PDB file of all heavy atoms in Angstrom:
ATOM      1  N   GLU A   1       0.858  -1.172   0.000  1.00  0.00           N
ATOM      2  CA  GLU A   1       0.000   0.000   0.000  1.00  0.00           C
ATOM      3  C   GLU A   1       0.900   1.230   0.000  1.00  0.00           C
ATOM      4  O   GLU A   1       2.119   1.096   0.029  1.00  0.00           O
ATOM      5  CB  GLU A   1      -0.909  -0.022   1.224  1.00  0.00           C
ATOM      6  CG  GLU A   1      -0.136   0.014   2.524  1.00  0.00           C
ATOM      7  CD  GLU A   1      -0.852   0.795   3.600  1.00  0.00           C
ATOM      8  OE1 GLU A   1      -2.044   1.071   3.470  1.00  0.00           O
ATOM      9  OE2 GLU A   1      -0.193   1.146   4.573  1.00  0.00           O
ATOM     10  N   PRO A   2       0.349   2.454  -0.022  1.00  0.00           N
ATOM     11  CA  PRO A   2       1.208   3.644  -0.050  1.00  0.00           C
ATOM     12  C   PRO A   2       2.200   3.752   1.112  1.00  0.00           C
ATOM     13  O   PRO A   2       3.269   4.326   0.957  1.00  0.00           O
ATOM     14  CB  PRO A   2       0.210   4.803  -0.031  1.00  0.00           C
ATOM     15  CG  PRO A   2      -0.989   4.238  -0.734  1.00  0.00           C
ATOM     16  CD  PRO A   2      -1.061   2.805  -0.258  1.00  0.00           C
ATOM     17  N   ALA A   3       1.882   3.201   2.267  1.00  0.00           N
ATOM     18  CA  ALA A   3       2.805   3.233   3.417  1.00  0.00           C
ATOM     19  C   ALA A   3       3.636   1.956   3.426  1.00  0.00           C
ATOM     20  O   ALA A   3       3.492   1.103   4.285  1.00  0.00           O
ATOM     21  CB  ALA A   3       2.019   3.381   4.714  1.00  0.00           C
ATOM     22  N   TYR A   4       4.534   1.828   2.470  1.00  0.00           N
ATOM     23  CA  TYR A   4       5.313   0.598   2.310  1.00  0.00           C
ATOM     24  C   TYR A   4       6.635   0.657   3.067  1.00  0.00           C
ATOM     25  O   TYR A   4       7.116   1.718   3.455  1.00  0.00           O
ATOM     26  CB  TYR A   4       5.591   0.344   0.829  1.00  0.00           C
ATOM     27  CG  TYR A   4       6.356   1.456   0.153  1.00  0.00           C
ATOM     28  CD1 TYR A   4       7.735   1.470   0.143  1.00  0.00           C
ATOM     29  CD2 TYR A   4       5.685   2.502  -0.467  1.00  0.00           C
ATOM     30  CE1 TYR A   4       8.441   2.488  -0.462  1.00  0.00           C
ATOM     31  CE2 TYR A   4       6.379   3.527  -1.076  1.00  0.00           C
ATOM     32  CZ  TYR A   4       7.758   3.517  -1.074  1.00  0.00           C
ATOM     33  OH  TYR A   4       8.445   4.529  -1.685  1.00  0.00           O
ATOM     34  N   ALA A   5       7.236  -0.502   3.239  1.00  0.00           N
ATOM     35  CA  ALA A   5       8.550  -0.604   3.875  1.00  0.00           C
ATOM     36  C   ALA A   5       9.643  -0.423   2.830  1.00  0.00           C
ATOM     37  O   ALA A   5       9.560  -0.990   1.741  1.00  0.00           O
ATOM     38  CB  ALA A   5       8.713  -1.960   4.543  1.00  0.00           C
ATOM     39  N   THR A   6      10.656   0.352   3.152  1.00  0.00           N
ATOM     40  CA  THR A   6      11.798   0.471   2.248  1.00  0.00           C
ATOM     41  C   THR A   6      12.848  -0.581   2.566  1.00  0.00           C
ATOM     42  O   THR A   6      13.599  -0.980   1.694  1.00  0.00           O
ATOM     43  CB  THR A   6      12.434   1.873   2.327  1.00  0.00           C
ATOM     44  OG1 THR A   6      12.790   2.137   3.679  1.00  0.00           O
ATOM     45  CG2 THR A   6      11.469   2.932   1.820  1.00  0.00           C
ATOM     46  N   ALA A   7      12.906  -1.022   3.792  1.00  0.00           N
ATOM     47  CA  ALA A   7      13.851  -2.065   4.195  1.00  0.00           C
ATOM     48  C   ALA A   7      13.052  -3.270   4.681  1.00  0.00           C
ATOM     49  O   ALA A   7      12.202  -3.148   5.565  1.00  0.00           O
ATOM     50  CB  ALA A   7      14.764  -1.557   5.295  1.00  0.00           C
ATOM     51  N   PHE A   8      13.305  -4.427   4.079  1.00  0.00           N
ATOM     52  CA  PHE A   8      12.626  -5.642   4.512  1.00  0.00           C
ATOM     53  C   PHE A   8      13.414  -6.866   4.084  1.00  0.00           C
ATOM     54  O   PHE A   8      14.289  -6.791   3.230  1.00  0.00           O
ATOM     55  CB  PHE A   8      11.186  -5.715   3.984  1.00  0.00           C
ATOM     56  CG  PHE A   8      11.069  -5.776   2.489  1.00  0.00           C
ATOM     57  CD1 PHE A   8      11.025  -7.004   1.829  1.00  0.00           C
ATOM     58  CD2 PHE A   8      10.992  -4.617   1.731  1.00  0.00           C
ATOM     59  CE1 PHE A   8      10.908  -7.056   0.449  1.00  0.00           C
ATOM     60  CE2 PHE A   8      10.875  -4.668   0.357  1.00  0.00           C
ATOM     61  CZ  PHE A   8      10.834  -5.889  -0.290  1.00  0.00           C
ATOM     62  N   GLN A   9      13.089  -7.985   4.706  1.00  0.00           N
ATOM     63  CA  GLN A   9      13.689  -9.271   4.385  1.00  0.00           C
ATOM     64  C   GLN A   9      12.583 -10.290   4.150  1.00  0.00           C
ATOM     65  O   GLN A   9      11.508 -10.181   4.727  1.00  0.00           O
ATOM     66  CB  GLN A   9      14.555  -9.783   5.538  1.00  0.00           C
ATOM     67  CG  GLN A   9      15.718  -8.911   5.880  1.00  0.00           C
ATOM     68  CD  GLN A   9      16.450  -9.440   7.108  1.00  0.00           C
ATOM     69  OE1 GLN A   9      15.945 -10.249   7.870  1.00  0.00           O
ATOM     70  NE2 GLN A   9      17.670  -8.961   7.291  1.00  0.00           N
ATOM     71  N   ILE A  10      12.891 -11.277   3.345  1.00  0.00           N
ATOM     72  CA  ILE A  10      12.039 -12.458   3.209  1.00  0.00           C
ATOM     73  C   ILE A  10      12.873 -13.623   3.714  1.00  0.00           C
ATOM     74  O   ILE A  10      13.999 -13.844   3.251  1.00  0.00           O
ATOM     75  CB  ILE A  10      11.585 -12.671   1.760  1.00  0.00           C
ATOM     76  CG1 ILE A  10      10.715 -11.493   1.329  1.00  0.00           C
ATOM     77  CG2 ILE A  10      10.833 -14.002   1.637  1.00  0.00           C
ATOM     78  CD1 ILE A  10      10.288 -11.536  -0.116  1.00  0.00           C
ATOM     79  N   GLN A  11      12.326 -14.333   4.698  1.00  0.00           N
ATOM     80  CA  GLN A  11      13.024 -15.454   5.303  1.00  0.00           C
ATOM     81  C   GLN A  11      12.143 -16.686   5.231  1.00  0.00           C
ATOM     82  O   GLN A  11      10.918 -16.582   5.245  1.00  0.00           O
ATOM     83  CB  GLN A  11      13.362 -15.147   6.763  1.00  0.00           C
ATOM     84  CG  GLN A  11      14.263 -13.945   6.923  1.00  0.00           C
ATOM     85  CD  GLN A  11      14.536 -13.626   8.386  1.00  0.00           C
ATOM     86  OE1 GLN A  11      13.745 -13.936   9.273  1.00  0.00           O
ATOM     87  NE2 GLN A  11      15.677 -13.005   8.637  1.00  0.00           N
ATOM     88  N   VAL A  12      12.766 -17.854   5.175  1.00  0.00           N
ATOM     89  CA  VAL A  12      12.044 -19.123   5.127  1.00  0.00           C
ATOM     90  C   VAL A  12      12.552 -20.045   6.223  1.00  0.00           C
ATOM     91  O   VAL A  12      13.684 -19.919   6.674  1.00  0.00           O
ATOM     92  CB  VAL A  12      12.171 -19.803   3.743  1.00  0.00           C
ATOM     93  CG1 VAL A  12      11.543 -18.952   2.655  1.00  0.00           C
ATOM     94  CG2 VAL A  12      13.622 -20.106   3.416  1.00  0.00           C
ATOM     95  N   SER A  13      11.688 -20.964   6.610  1.00  0.00           N
ATOM     96  CA  SER A  13      12.046 -21.959   7.612  1.00  0.00           C
ATOM     97  C   SER A  13      11.132 -23.165   7.449  1.00  0.00           C
ATOM     98  O   SER A  13       9.984 -23.030   7.034  1.00  0.00           O
ATOM     99  CB  SER A  13      11.877 -21.388   9.021  1.00  0.00           C
ATOM    100  OG  SER A  13      12.136 -22.395   9.990  1.00  0.00           O
ATOM    101  N   ALA A  14      11.650 -24.330   7.781  1.00  0.00           N
ATOM    102  CA  ALA A  14      10.825 -25.540   7.770  1.00  0.00           C
ATOM    103  C   ALA A  14       9.941 -25.610   9.015  1.00  0.00           C
ATOM    104  O   ALA A  14       9.005 -26.406   9.069  1.00  0.00           O
ATOM    105  CB  ALA A  14      11.701 -26.783   7.677  1.00  0.00           C
ATOM    106  N   ALA A  15      10.225 -24.770  10.013  1.00  0.00           N
ATOM    107  CA  ALA A  15       9.443 -24.741  11.248  1.00  0.00           C
ATOM    108  C   ALA A  15       9.183 -23.295  11.647  1.00  0.00           C
ATOM    109  O   ALA A  15      10.021 -22.424  11.412  1.00  0.00           O
ATOM    110  CB  ALA A  15      10.192 -25.463  12.365  1.00  0.00           C
ATOM    111  N   ALA A  16       8.057 -23.046  12.256  1.00  0.00           N
ATOM    112  CA  ALA A  16       7.681 -21.675  12.633  1.00  0.00           C
ATOM    113  C   ALA A  16       8.626 -21.059  13.650  1.00  0.00           C
ATOM    114  O   ALA A  16       8.661 -19.851  13.806  1.00  0.00           O
ATOM    115  CB  ALA A  16       6.254 -21.664  13.179  1.00  0.00           C
ATOM    116  N   THR A  17       9.409 -21.876  14.316  1.00  0.00           N
ATOM    117  CA  THR A  17      10.341 -21.383  15.322  1.00  0.00           C
ATOM    118  C   THR A  17      11.758 -21.240  14.782  1.00  0.00           C
ATOM    119  O   THR A  17      12.667 -20.888  15.514  1.00  0.00           O
ATOM    120  CB  THR A  17      10.358 -22.328  16.531  1.00  0.00           C
ATOM    121  OG1 THR A  17      10.695 -23.636  16.084  1.00  0.00           O
ATOM    122  CG2 THR A  17       9.014 -22.346  17.227  1.00  0.00           C
ATOM    123  N   GLY A  18      11.955 -21.504  13.479  1.00  0.00           N
ATOM    124  CA  GLY A  18      13.280 -21.391  12.870  1.00  0.00           C
ATOM    125  C   GLY A  18      13.997 -22.726  12.877  1.00  0.00           C
ATOM    126  O   GLY A  18      13.395 -23.738  13.197  1.00  0.00           O
ATOM    127  N   PRO A  19      15.223 -22.730  12.482  1.00  0.00           N
ATOM    128  CA  PRO A  19      16.037 -21.573  12.122  1.00  0.00           C
ATOM    129  C   PRO A  19      15.563 -20.940  10.812  1.00  0.00           C
ATOM    130  O   PRO A  19      15.021 -21.618   9.946  1.00  0.00           O
ATOM    131  CB  PRO A  19      17.450 -22.150  11.967  1.00  0.00           C
ATOM    132  CG  PRO A  19      17.232 -23.565  11.579  1.00  0.00           C
ATOM    133  CD  PRO A  19      15.963 -23.982  12.286  1.00  0.00           C
ATOM    134  N   TRP A  20      15.780 -19.630  10.674  1.00  0.00           N
ATOM    135  CA  TRP A  20      15.341 -18.855   9.524  1.00  0.00           C
ATOM    136  C   TRP A  20      16.501 -18.628   8.564  1.00  0.00           C
ATOM    137  O   TRP A  20      17.616 -18.353   8.988  1.00  0.00           O
ATOM    138  CB  TRP A  20      14.769 -17.511   9.980  1.00  0.00           C
ATOM    139  CG  TRP A  20      13.541 -17.694  10.803  1.00  0.00           C
ATOM    140  CD1 TRP A  20      13.465 -17.766  12.164  1.00  0.00           C
ATOM    141  CD2 TRP A  20      12.221 -17.873  10.322  1.00  0.00           C
ATOM    142  NE1 TRP A  20      12.174 -17.964  12.565  1.00  0.00           N
ATOM    143  CE2 TRP A  20      11.378 -18.037  11.438  1.00  0.00           C
ATOM    144  CE3 TRP A  20      11.647 -17.902   9.055  1.00  0.00           C
ATOM    145  CZ2 TRP A  20      10.011 -18.228  11.324  1.00  0.00           C
ATOM    146  CZ3 TRP A  20      10.284 -18.089   8.948  1.00  0.00           C
ATOM    147  CH2 TRP A  20       9.485 -18.251  10.064  1.00  0.00           C
ATOM    148  N   THR A  21      16.218 -18.729   7.278  1.00  0.00           N
ATOM    149  CA  THR A  21      17.205 -18.471   6.233  1.00  0.00           C
ATOM    150  C   THR A  21      16.747 -17.261   5.435  1.00  0.00           C
ATOM    151  O   THR A  21      15.623 -17.234   4.927  1.00  0.00           O
ATOM    152  CB  THR A  21      17.341 -19.689   5.289  1.00  0.00           C
ATOM    153  OG1 THR A  21      17.733 -20.814   6.067  1.00  0.00           O
ATOM    154  CG2 THR A  21      18.360 -19.430   4.198  1.00  0.00           C
ATOM    155  N   ASN A  22      17.620 -16.291   5.319  1.00  0.00           N
ATOM    156  CA  ASN A  22      17.306 -15.086   4.573  1.00  0.00           C
ATOM    157  C   ASN A  22      17.444 -15.373   3.074  1.00  0.00           C
ATOM    158  O   ASN A  22      18.513 -15.757   2.623  1.00  0.00           O
ATOM    159  CB  ASN A  22      18.273 -13.964   4.997  1.00  0.00           C
ATOM    160  CG  ASN A  22      17.762 -12.603   4.654  1.00  0.00           C
ATOM    161  OD1 ASN A  22      16.567 -12.403   4.515  1.00  0.00           O
ATOM    162  ND2 ASN A  22      18.659 -11.657   4.535  1.00  0.00           N
ATOM    163  N   VAL A  23      16.355 -15.209   2.295  1.00  0.00           N
ATOM    164  CA  VAL A  23      16.414 -15.451   0.846  1.00  0.00           C
ATOM    165  C   VAL A  23      16.302 -14.170   0.036  1.00  0.00           C
ATOM    166  O   VAL A  23      16.526 -14.171  -1.168  1.00  0.00           O
ATOM    167  CB  VAL A  23      15.339 -16.463   0.389  1.00  0.00           C
ATOM    168  CG1 VAL A  23      15.604 -17.831   0.995  1.00  0.00           C
ATOM    169  CG2 VAL A  23      13.934 -15.989   0.710  1.00  0.00           C
ATOM    170  N   TYR A  24      15.954 -13.070   0.696  1.00  0.00           N
ATOM    171  CA  TYR A  24      15.904 -11.776   0.013  1.00  0.00           C
ATOM    172  C   TYR A  24      16.014 -10.679   1.057  1.00  0.00           C
ATOM    173  O   TYR A  24      15.443 -10.785   2.140  1.00  0.00           O
ATOM    174  CB  TYR A  24      14.600 -11.606  -0.768  1.00  0.00           C
ATOM    175  CG  TYR A  24      14.537 -10.289  -1.502  1.00  0.00           C
ATOM    176  CD1 TYR A  24      15.175 -10.124  -2.724  1.00  0.00           C
ATOM    177  CD2 TYR A  24      13.873  -9.200  -0.954  1.00  0.00           C
ATOM    178  CE1 TYR A  24      15.141  -8.908  -3.390  1.00  0.00           C
ATOM    179  CE2 TYR A  24      13.838  -7.982  -1.615  1.00  0.00           C
ATOM    180  CZ  TYR A  24      14.476  -7.846  -2.829  1.00  0.00           C
ATOM    181  OH  TYR A  24      14.454  -6.636  -3.480  1.00  0.00           O
ATOM    182  N   SER A  25      16.728  -9.621   0.712  1.00  0.00           N
ATOM    183  CA  SER A  25      16.883  -8.488   1.610  1.00  0.00           C
ATOM    184  C   SER A  25      17.078  -7.228   0.786  1.00  0.00           C
ATOM    185  O   SER A  25      17.769  -7.254  -0.237  1.00  0.00           O
ATOM    186  CB  SER A  25      18.100  -8.715   2.515  1.00  0.00           C
ATOM    187  OG  SER A  25      18.239  -7.650   3.420  1.00  0.00           O
ATOM    188  N   THR A  26      16.460  -6.125   1.219  1.00  0.00           N
ATOM    189  CA  THR A  26      16.669  -4.840   0.558  1.00  0.00           C
ATOM    190  C   THR A  26      16.561  -3.719   1.580  1.00  0.00           C
ATOM    191  O   THR A  26      15.883  -3.864   2.598  1.00  0.00           O
ATOM    192  CB  THR A  26      15.670  -4.597  -0.590  1.00  0.00           C
ATOM    193  OG1 THR A  26      16.037  -3.395  -1.281  1.00  0.00           O
ATOM    194  CG2 THR A  26      14.246  -4.469  -0.091  1.00  0.00           C
ATOM    195  N   THR A  27      17.226  -2.639   1.289  1.00  0.00           N
ATOM    196  CA  THR A  27      17.078  -1.408   2.069  1.00  0.00           C
ATOM    197  C   THR A  27      16.594  -0.277   1.167  1.00  0.00           C
ATOM    198  O   THR A  27      16.536   0.864   1.583  1.00  0.00           O
ATOM    199  CB  THR A  27      18.408  -1.004   2.728  1.00  0.00           C
ATOM    200  OG1 THR A  27      19.380  -0.823   1.701  1.00  0.00           O
ATOM    201  CG2 THR A  27      18.866  -2.032   3.731  1.00  0.00           C
ATOM    202  N   THR A  28      16.245  -0.640  -0.078  1.00  0.00           N
ATOM    203  CA  THR A  28      15.841   0.374  -1.057  1.00  0.00           C
ATOM    204  C   THR A  28      14.515   0.021  -1.727  1.00  0.00           C
ATOM    205  O   THR A  28      14.319   0.280  -2.901  1.00  0.00           O
ATOM    206  CB  THR A  28      16.936   0.548  -2.134  1.00  0.00           C
ATOM    207  OG1 THR A  28      17.163  -0.715  -2.778  1.00  0.00           O
ATOM    208  CG2 THR A  28      18.228   1.061  -1.531  1.00  0.00           C
ATOM    209  N   GLY A  29      13.584  -0.561  -0.977  1.00  0.00           N
ATOM    210  CA  GLY A  29      12.279  -0.899  -1.523  1.00  0.00           C
ATOM    211  C   GLY A  29      11.537   0.337  -1.997  1.00  0.00           C
ATOM    212  O   GLY A  29      11.652   1.407  -1.401  1.00  0.00           O
ATOM    213  N   THR A  30      10.766   0.176  -3.079  1.00  0.00           N
ATOM    214  CA  THR A  30      10.057   1.312  -3.662  1.00  0.00           C
ATOM    215  C   THR A  30       8.545   1.141  -3.678  1.00  0.00           C
ATOM    216  O   THR A  30       7.846   1.896  -4.343  1.00  0.00           O
ATOM    217  CB  THR A  30      10.550   1.555  -5.105  1.00  0.00           C
ATOM    218  OG1 THR A  30      10.321   0.360  -5.863  1.00  0.00           O
ATOM    219  CG2 THR A  30      12.017   1.922  -5.136  1.00  0.00           C
ATOM    220  N   GLY A  31       8.030   0.140  -2.959  1.00  0.00           N
ATOM    221  CA  GLY A  31       6.595  -0.078  -2.919  1.00  0.00           C
ATOM    222  C   GLY A  31       6.097  -0.738  -4.190  1.00  0.00           C
ATOM    223  O   GLY A  31       6.830  -1.437  -4.874  1.00  0.00           O
ATOM    224  N   GLY A  32       4.831  -0.500  -4.506  1.00  0.00           N
ATOM    225  CA  GLY A  32       4.259  -1.101  -5.706  1.00  0.00           C
ATOM    226  C   GLY A  32       4.022  -2.584  -5.531  1.00  0.00           C
ATOM    227  O   GLY A  32       3.635  -3.045  -4.470  1.00  0.00           O
ATOM    228  N   THR A  33       4.283  -3.350  -6.596  1.00  0.00           N
ATOM    229  CA  THR A  33       4.079  -4.791  -6.576  1.00  0.00           C
ATOM    230  C   THR A  33       5.316  -5.494  -7.114  1.00  0.00           C
ATOM    231  O   THR A  33       5.326  -6.003  -8.227  1.00  0.00           O
ATOM    232  CB  THR A  33       2.837  -5.168  -7.419  1.00  0.00           C
ATOM    233  OG1 THR A  33       1.729  -4.375  -6.991  1.00  0.00           O
ATOM    234  CG2 THR A  33       2.470  -6.636  -7.251  1.00  0.00           C
ATOM    235  N   PRO A  34       6.391  -5.523  -6.333  1.00  0.00           N
ATOM    236  CA  PRO A  34       7.588  -6.221  -6.817  1.00  0.00           C
ATOM    237  C   PRO A  34       7.407  -7.727  -6.752  1.00  0.00           C
ATOM    238  O   PRO A  34       6.725  -8.240  -5.869  1.00  0.00           O
ATOM    239  CB  PRO A  34       8.677  -5.769  -5.850  1.00  0.00           C
ATOM    240  CG  PRO A  34       7.945  -5.486  -4.586  1.00  0.00           C
ATOM    241  CD  PRO A  34       6.592  -4.949  -5.016  1.00  0.00           C
ATOM    242  N   LYS A  35       7.966  -8.420  -7.694  1.00  0.00           N
ATOM    243  CA  LYS A  35       8.004  -9.879  -7.664  1.00  0.00           C
ATOM    244  C   LYS A  35       9.442 -10.256  -7.335  1.00  0.00           C
ATOM    245  O   LYS A  35      10.343 -10.051  -8.147  1.00  0.00           O
ATOM    246  CB  LYS A  35       7.575 -10.471  -9.000  1.00  0.00           C
ATOM    247  CG  LYS A  35       7.421 -11.966  -8.954  1.00  0.00           C
ATOM    248  CD  LYS A  35       6.817 -12.488 -10.240  1.00  0.00           C
ATOM    249  CE  LYS A  35       6.610 -13.977 -10.167  1.00  0.00           C
ATOM    250  NZ  LYS A  35       6.077 -14.501 -11.417  1.00  0.00           N
TER     251      LYS A  35
END
C-alpha cells in the first residue's frame, strides 16, 4: 500500500520457530508490486 517498507527481508524456515534463512533483503524498496 502507499505506506510501504523500504527495508525488509524475506526469510524461510521448515518450522515456525526457525532456524530462519534469509532469501531476500533490501534497504531500497520502492513499494508497488515487486516480484
